[in-house]
Amino acid sequence: MSVQPRKEYDLHARIGIATAKSFINAGAIVWITGRNKDKFHKTSKEINNPNLKTMVSDTSAMEGITVLEKAFAESSNKLDVLFLNLGIATFVPIALATEAGFDAQFNTNVKGAYFILQELIPHLSKRKSVLFTN
């Protein structure tokens, strides 16, 4: 008998959307990034506000983080709040875990968050806050 990974709900996306809406309702300009272009189109339609900026960027890899930093630098904005809401999980018995699955989770959940913070530190305002949800 083969055990398949369980499909999990995309709670990080729901938390991110709710947080983005709260910040936008408070007058903030909000940037959301991720790997899935279709998801951003759906999110943009759901939030439907000109203060929402979305960009496709795989932040589990340094190339994607560099793209994000460059886009933000070109905007000439400063960050008051950096809300790092990253997370993926694959649930399988340890005997079935793979190195690729481990790397995907670690690269997104740890490496991505760490290097996004490193790259965006120069763009933080004097009254900054950094929040991690993982």
Side-chain angles (χ1 to χ4, degrees):
M1 180 168 117
S2 168
V3 177
Q4 297 297 317
R6 286 190 344 227
K7 180 105 173 136
E8 295 298 314
Y9 294 103
D10 196 357
L11 295 177
H12 280 278
R14 297 310 316 158
I15 291 167
I17 291 168
T19 304
K21 286 178 179 179
S22 294
F23 279 119
I24 287 170
N25 289 339
I29 297 172
V30 173
W31 288 55
I32 298 176
T33 187
R35 294 175 252 225
N36 188 323
K37 186 176 184 174
D38 293 333
K39 189 181 286 187
F40 286 127
H41 180 68
K42 182 180 175 186
T43 299
S44 293
K45 284 176 65 175
E46 181 178 338
I47 294 176
N48 192 28
N49 191 294
N51 282 357
L52 177 67
K53 311 296 180 206
T54 62
M55 68 172 293
V56 176
S57 172
D58 180 357
T59 55
S60 70
M62 289 306 297
E63 297 81 17
I65 294 169
T66 300
V67 167
L68 172 63
E69 188 282 328
K70 183 178 180 191
F72 194 80
E74 289 172 356
S75 78
S76 300
N77 292 319
K78 286 289 187 183
L79 287 163
D80 292 327
V81 178
L82 177 57
F83 181 60
L84 296 163
N85 181 45
L86 310 165
I88 62 169
T90 303
F91 297 94
V92 296
I94 197 159
L96 299 175
T98 64
E99 183 178 6
F102 177 88
D103 288 346
Q105 290 177 85
F106 192 86
N107 288 346
T108 298
N109 302 352
V110 179
K111 177 183 167 185
Y114 183 89
F115 286 107
I116 291 169
L117 176 59
Q118 180 190 59
E119 291 295 312
L120 294 183
I121 282 176
H123 305 289
L124 296 174
S125 72
K126 290 182 181 179
R127 57 182 185 180
K128 65 201 163 279
S129 293
V130 177
L131 306 166
F132 289 87
T133 60
N134 218 301

